[in-house]
Structures are given as C-alpha cells and as structure tokens.
Amino acid sequence: MSQQQRLEEYIKQVCRQIRNKEMHASISQELRGHLEDKIEDYQANGLTMESAIDKAIADMGDPIQVGKHLHQAHKPRMEWSVIALVAMLIGFGLLVMYSLSQSQTDAGHLFTNKVVGIVLGLALFIALLFFDYRKLQPYSLYLYLGIVLCMLLTNLFGTTVNGRSMYLNIGLLLNVYGICSVLLILSMAGMFAKWNWEKLTTLFRAALTLLVPFAILFVSHHSFEAILLLAGFLVLVSVSPAPRRTVWKLFGALLFIISGLVFLTIQRHQFHRLLSFLDPLADPNGAGFTLLQSLKTLQEAELWGHGIGASLSDLPGTEAEFVFAYIVHSFGLVTGAAILLLGIVLLIRLLRAVRLVRDRYGVMLMSGLMTLFFIPYFWSILMTAGFLPIMSVNLPFISYGNTSFIMQMLLIGLVLNVYRRKDIQPIEASKPPAQT
Amino acid sequence: MTINKELMKGSTVILILTLLDRKPMYGYEMSKEMEKSSSGVLTLKEGTLYPILHTLESDGMVESYWSSGEGERKRKYYQITKKGQGLLKEKQQEWISFRTAVDQVLGGGPA
C-alpha cells in the first residue's frame, strides 16, 4: 500500500463512524491536512517516510474511537422543545375545533377537516426534516416569478369572495393569497442570500422584489398579507450583510413609497374601520361591533372557562380571527394566558436557535419564516384584546383552515430543518468571519 | 512527567479556549502550541482535540473558516467567539477556586 493510500484508508475508517455523510468531505480535508503537516515535521526531524506516517497515525489514535467521538459532535440537531411546543399547540387546536363543533349545529366539519389537515401537515413536516434546505436555493428566482404570476392571475381572473379576489381556479380552487407570503419569503431569502449587498443597485432590486407582490396584495385588499410580506422583507434585509446605513436608506425610501401608496388608494371608510379599535364605542353597531363583542367576552371570562362545547354565538369568526376570544371564553383566562406564554417561549427558543446558525441562507430563511409565524400569532391575540386593528389574521396552528395550517407546518418544518443542519458547512463557502 | 489522562480530560476545554483566545489557529498548530507553552508536559491528543473543537463550534463557542496556509495546504482555522470568551472566563473562575482548594488541602497554599 502506498503512503498516500494509508492515510486515505485511515481517514475513511474515521469517516465510516460518522453517520452524517454531508460532513465527510470537510472532516477528511481537516484530518488529511493535520496528518500531512505532522508527517512533514517528523521527516524534518530525521524519520523515514514510513515511520513518520506510522507515528502520525498512532498519535491520532484508534480511528474507530476518533470517528465515534466526531459522530457525537455531528449528530443532526433537533430542537425537541420546539417540537413539543408545536405539538401542544396543534393538540390544543384540535380540542378547540372539537369544542366548536359541539357548540353549534352543522359544525362537525370543523373537527374532521382539522384532523385531515393535521395528517397532511404532519406528513409534509416529516418529509421536510429529512431533506436539505440548501437544495431549494437554486430555484428561488423561479419560485418567486411563479408565485407573483399566480398572484397576478388571481387578481385578474380569480374567484372573488366578499369583494376581494381569493382563489385561482386550476381544476381545484387554489388559495393563492393564503400561501403566497410563506413562498415569497422562502424565495426572497434564497435570492437575497446570493446578492452582493455592498452595491447600490442591489437595493433597487430588493425594493422592486418587494413592491411588485406588495402592490398586488394591496390592491386586492389582502392587507394583512401585505403587512406580513413587508415585515418578512424588513427582517430579511436586516439580517443580510448590507451595511447598516444603506439598510436605513432603503427602509426610509420604502416607508415613503408605501405610505404614499396607502394614502392614494385607501378609502375613507377603510381607514375608519382600521382605526376603529382605538375607540370602538364611537360606532358600536358598525365598525366597532366585533371588537366590542370580543372585549365583552374577555371581560366576562372566568378563570377556568365554561368548558368544552361552550357556545359563543354573539361573536362572529370564533373558528378563525376570534378563536382566541373563544378559547378564553370556553377554557378560561388561565388557558388564554398559557397560549400567550407558549408563543413567547417558542419565540425565545427559536431566537436562541437561529443565533447558532452560520449559513447565511439558513439564517435568512429561518428569520424570515419566523416573522411570518410570530406576527400573526401575537397579532391575533392582541387584536382580540383591542390593542391592534382587527384584520383577518388567524392564530397559527389553532384557527380553522387547512391551507394556512399546512403552510405553518411547512414553515416550522423548514425552520427546524435549517437548525438541524447548522453544523454542516460546505468547505468552499467559508471565509474568515469578522473578528468580534 | 506525563499527566494522568483523567486530570487532562477535565481541563482540555479551558486549555483549548485559552489558546484560541490568543489568536485563531488550526488544529495541528494548537497541539504544537500546547506542548510549547507547557514545556512539553501537556499534550493535546488529536483524537480528542478535533471532536472537542467540533462540539465547541456547534455550541457557538468557536467559529471556523478555511484558508490556504503559508503553503498551498487548505487549513481549517478556529476562532473564539464572544460566547466562547464568556465560557472561558467562567472556566477560569472555576479553575482558580479548584486550584486554591486543592492547594489548601495539600497544605501548599495559604492555610
């Protein structure tokens, strides 16, 4: 066996113990470099090539043991706390739907559809975990163009519900607006991670990338999706390597353009309705009605609630926008507080996880998607209590609606996927990080 | 004199972090540096060095980057992070109180 072959054989034996195959290349490279350095030094001290190799390999130790220890260091990471918290939310969502289906006649579908959604969502979630998120990045631009095209088509030819375009008929009714924010942020993260943020033209490209879908959402009256997209975009840009000063310039310009757009297109009654949460009593039977009902529910709530199957017929949307008010009504203030707390704990866990990710695309993907999860989560709770304008926002994982449920599973699946692979870095992509 | 394996085990992390706190280094450089700084008493067994470095990296205590060294050989450099410096400080405190206590019991330190 030649000298080189003996080194390679040793390295192969080490790698055989490391089940995470994606790490093999960089570990081999590192060990090879080490052994070659050491062999050179031994030879410089007068050893023959043969004994230098023997000694270098003996110094490293039993390849099986070394490999086993390295395997421990590179086991894919799983945030079990996040899985547990999400499982609790999903389980509780099922209970809420059961309770709602008991409280009204003809509401059995709320429960059965939720079960179907959970089965589909879980299958998607598990499939996502075992797939490398980096493989998505090359398709980002196509995904972006595809989704913007779908939005445009829906806006022009889509089925309308309550005066706003909703579905694209492609044999089945596709809820384009329900899935667009997640897919847009997913594709933007992939595009932005590749761009050179030092250049001024990048800022224009970024602004354009945001404004086209934003304008479509805005003119089709999907204002909450527009807000989500904007928030996700701002987070993506803030975690991008763009210099702070250019980021502020971009944000300033966007603020100017968007407030101009809003000012020019928003109608008086829409504006009035949006701000009615500040003073719901001004129009108790109109714009302020639902909020007053919601506030009444919260004020009259008991510590432990009215129990499973309690009905709350005064408040519309108890399975969707006002699910939080329904939770407080039937399961009590304690449970409502627990749901709020669960969200905060989940946020803290994920913020801690994202700080450990080094891959730029991974960081962008994770932070952008987290924004899309936590804004609706806290918004839907806070608006029920009158702190934020009433919009069509669902409480993630709990509200009724399988499209959004499946998108939320996709989102959490991707977030955990990034975390799972945080220790796997391609060799060529690395350069010295800034000295801290 | 060689040091007992068990004694070495407990202090490897603090030694690695101390070395990296001086400057970014690659694995082989660290094992040479260790022997030099301890006049040959302490040796970092490479078989344990790399798993520990990789674990420290995944915990965010150190970060790594590849570069071709003086020659054309590609080397993986490790650099301590803020978090790692925090851990080092903690470990130093722990070490000082441990050392003082052991010295006291052995009668070598302040009574």
Side-chain angles (χ1 to χ4, degrees):
Chain A
M1 211 189 307
S2 82
Q3 273 92 5
Q4 197 57 40
Q5 268 174 330
R6 282 188 52 211
L7 284 191
E8 292 309 317
E9 186 52 38
Y10 179 86
I11 291 167
K12 230 183 253 163
Q13 273 179 308
V14 173
C15 282
R16 220 170 279 148
Q17 303 303 317
I18 307 166
R19 221 178 312 153
N20 194 337
K21 289 222 171 53
E22 293 164 73
M23 282 310 297
H24 286 188
S26 92
I27 290 177
S28 304
Q29 175 96 356
E30 187 174 23
L31 294 183
R32 192 179 300 120
H34 179 103
L35 290 169
E36 285 170 356
D37 274 343
K38 200 153 198 186
I39 291 166
E40 273 172 23
D41 281 4
Y42 276 137
Q43 281 184 300
N45 285 334
L47 261 65
T48 62
M49 184 69 159
E50 193 72 17
S51 45
I53 292 179
D54 282 342
K55 258 186 97 98
I57 287 180
D59 286 346
M60 187 75 89
D62 178 18
I64 311 281
Q65 279 307 315
V66 176
K68 275 190 177 143
H69 286 138
L70 283 169
H71 171 70
Q72 285 301 318
H74 291 285
K75 273 197 296 200
R77 309 281 143 174
M78 188 50 94
E79 254 301 333
W80 290 107
S81 65
V82 172
I83 300 244
L85 291 167
V86 168
M88 278 161 82
L89 285 176
I90 294 174
F92 187 65
L94 196 60
L95 184 67
V96 172
M97 287 306 129
Y98 177 74
S99 176
L100 273 166
S101 70
Q102 295 297 303
S103 71
Q104 305 159 24
T105 43
D106 292 332
H109 67 279
L110 288 181
F111 182 70
T112 46
N113 279 358
K114 187 82 172 184
V115 174
V116 173
I118 290 177
V119 172
L120 289 175
L122 270 182
L124 180 69
F125 177 80
I126 291 167
L128 267 179
L129 276 185
F130 296 101
F131 147 98
D132 187 354
Y133 71 94
R134 290 190 197 97
K135 290 192 181 130
L136 288 173
Q137 196 177 7
Y139 304 104
S140 298
L141 180 63
Y142 306 110
L143 179 65
Y144 173 82
L145 294 175
I147 191 80
V148 169
L149 184 69
C150 281
M151 288 166 73
L152 211 56
L153 290 175
T154 315
N155 183 252
L156 296 175
F157 311 112
T159 318
T160 344
V161 179
N162 294 336
R164 45 180 206 175
S165 56
M166 284 300 274
Y167 301 105
L168 186 61
N169 194 343
I170 47 159
L172 65 145
L173 290 179
L174 184 64
N175 183 355
V176 174
Y177 295 111
I179 62 176
C180 72
S181 49
V182 173
L183 297 182
L184 282 170
I185 289 299
L186 174 67
S187 56
M188 282 179 174
M191 290 153 69
F192 290 6
K194 271 193 290 194
W195 288 356
N196 174 6
W197 287 86
E198 305 289 329
K199 285 199 299 192
L200 197 64
T201 46
T202 307
L203 295 185
F204 287 109
R205 271 160 82 191
L208 192 68
T209 313
L210 166 74
L211 287 172
V212 173
F214 183 86
I216 301 176
L217 285 173
F218 194 75
V219 297
S220 14
H221 306 294
H222 289 274
S223 13
F224 190 70
E225 268 67 32
I227 292 176
L228 267 187
L229 180 65
L230 178 63
F233 172 86
L234 296 181
V235 168
L236 284 185
V237 176
S238 336
V239 299
S240 81
R244 287 299 99 184
R245 199 184 278 181
T246 34
V247 169
W248 289 118
K249 269 186 209 154
L250 178 64
F251 287 2
L254 284 175
L255 183 73
F256 183 73
I257 297 172
I258 288 170
S259 49
L261 189 69
V262 172
F263 182 75
L264 287 177
T265 53
I266 202 165
Q267 279 150 21
R268 211 189 164 78
H269 70 272
Q270 289 173 312
F271 195 63
H272 180 65
R273 203 167 47 201
L274 202 60
L275 290 183
S276 69
F277 81 99
L278 293 173
D279 185 14
L281 282 170
D283 187 8
N285 295 315
F289 178 75
T290 36
L291 178 57
L292 285 176
Q293 291 302 328
S294 171
L295 288 174
K296 201 174 115 211
T297 310
L298 296 186
Q299 276 154 9
E300 290 170 358
E302 293 165 21
L303 217 48
W304 298 102
H306 296 275
I308 292 178
S311 100
L312 185 58
S313 47
D314 299 338
L315 186 63
T318 44
E319 77 286 352
E321 289 96 329
F322 285 100
V323 77
F324 186 72
Y326 180 76
I327 290 170
V328 172
H329 175 74
S330 21
F331 299 94
L333 286 167
V334 175
T335 313
I339 294 289
L340 180 61
L341 197 67
L342 219 64
I344 295 172
V345 175
L346 191 59
L347 177 63
I348 293 172
R349 292 302 315 185
L350 285 176
L351 281 177
R352 198 174 291 174
V354 76
R355 291 210 340 242
L356 289 172
V357 177
R358 307 234 67 86
D359 174 43
R360 184 196 290 172
Y361 175 47
V363 172
M364 287 187 134
L365 195 57
M366 224 171 145
S367 351
L369 291 177
M370 279 162 62
T371 317
L372 297 190
F373 182 83
F374 288 106
I375 290 191
Y377 195 96
F378 293 115
W379 193 300
S380 79
I381 292 175
L382 292 176
M383 78 175 186
T384 318
F387 293 111
L388 282 170
I390 306 284
M391 300 189 92
S392 80
V393 189
N394 284 342
L395 186 57
F397 290 131
I398 294 182
S399 288
Y400 180 71
N402 278 345
T403 309
S404 47
F405 182 80
I406 287 169
M407 291 324 276
Q408 283 141 18
M409 291 299 267
L410 172 82
L411 189 158
I412 291 290
L414 279 172
V415 163
L416 288 174
N417 187 312
V418 174
Y419 182 73
R420 198 179 145 75
R421 283 154 199 288
K422 74 184 179 61
D423 298 324
I424 306 165
Q425 298 174 38
I427 304 176
E428 53 285 354
S430 43
K431 51 178 170 220
Q435 183 81 49
T436 43
Chain B
M1 189 174 115
T2 51
I3 299 294
N4 179 294
K5 236 178 153 183
E6 289 303 310
L7 267 181
M8 197 60 204
K9 220 187 210 168
S11 42
T12 314
V13 171
I14 187 175
L15 291 172
I16 289 177
L17 289 176
T18 308
L19 287 182
L20 291 180
D21 200 31
R22 293 182 201 156
K23 65 171 193 199
M25 281 186 227
Y26 57 95
Y28 183 50
E29 191 183 3
M30 289 172 70
S31 75
K32 278 197 295 190
E33 192 64 32
M34 180 68 70
E35 280 197 62
K36 219 171 73 189
S37 320
S38 67
S39 324
V41 177
L42 302 177
T43 48
L44 275 179
K45 196 108 179 72
E46 300 107 299
T48 38
L49 170 66
Y50 287 106
I52 289 177
L53 276 175
H54 291 194
T55 310
L56 284 173
E57 187 181 3
S58 98
D59 294 339
M61 301 302 171
V62 303
E63 43 195 14
S64 69
Y65 57 91
W66 286 88
S67 79
S68 35
E70 295 93 76
E72 78 279 37
R73 192 162 292 152
K74 256 190 167 179
R75 290 190 172 118
K76 193 178 179 190
Y77 280 83
Y78 294 87
Q79 169 177 307
I80 196 165
T81 60
K82 272 220 179 84
K83 201 172 158 195
Q85 283 168 331
L87 178 71
L88 176 59
K89 230 177 227 145
E90 231 171 76
K91 292 244 165 204
Q92 281 167 340
Q93 289 299 329
E94 189 187 79
W95 177 253
I96 289 168
S97 41
F98 176 74
R99 189 183 58 195
T100 335
V102 171
D103 283 351
Q104 263 176 26
V105 174
L106 298 182

